[in-house]
Amino acid sequence: IFLSFSTGTSWGTFAILVPIAIAMFPSADNMQMMIIAVSAVLSGAVCGDHVSPISDTTVMSSAGAQSNHVTTQMQYAAVVAVVSAVGFLLAGFVHVWWIVLGVSLILLLAVLTVLRKVAK
């Protein structure tokens, strides 16, 4: 998150961190954890890009919608980032990506349902 937030680009973060994440798992013995590590890099890079004040896509979409990106995109990205962080912590224990994906999806839907009820 911090690299893409600082640079304003998710693609640059992909180019730097995906090879590092893949190199951490050189053998085919631990493919599940490699998938989870690459997923963490990709999701963190996109989240950092969405909340970065210097990201070209963030600035352009906020300007096009005539809104302040801090009051719009930041809250959406924060909810997903927190749920994703819980999912990646769970992945460290479970080591099976599809179980973590299902649990994270259910958790995200539960959080959004609670937020919807609180907002009313």
Side-chain angles (χ1 to χ4, degrees):
I1 291 177
F2 299 111
L3 183 61
S4 59
F5 179 83
S6 301
T7 60
T9 175
S10 58
W11 289 98
T13 306
F14 296 159
I16 294 169
L17 293 181
V18 168
I20 294 171
I22 291 173
M24 289 172 41
F25 305 97
S27 67
D29 298 339
N30 214 352
M31 288 296 283
Q32 295 287 332
M33 286 306 292
M34 184 179 75
I35 291 169
I36 292 168
V38 171
S39 299
V41 168
L42 297 177
S43 63
V46 171
C47 179
D49 183 37
H50 278 286
V51 299
S52 176
I54 60 172
S55 172
D56 57 347
T57 53
T58 302
V59 171
M60 289 172 52
S61 64
S62 297
Q66 296 178 349
S67 66
N68 181 356
H69 116 281
V70 173
T71 59
T72 55
Q73 289 179 300
M74 187 78 77
Q75 286 79 13
Y76 299 123
V79 170
V80 176
V82 169
V83 171
S84 295
V86 171
F88 288 124
L89 286 173
L90 177 65
F93 295 105
V94 177
H95 296 238
V96 181
W97 69 267
W98 56 270
I99 291 175
V100 175
L101 181 64
V103 170
S104 296
L105 181 62
I106 291 168
L107 180 61
L108 179 62
L109 292 174
V111 167
L112 291 176
T113 303
V114 168
L115 287 175
R116 183 176 180 193
K117 289 184 181 186
V118 169
K120 284 185 177 182

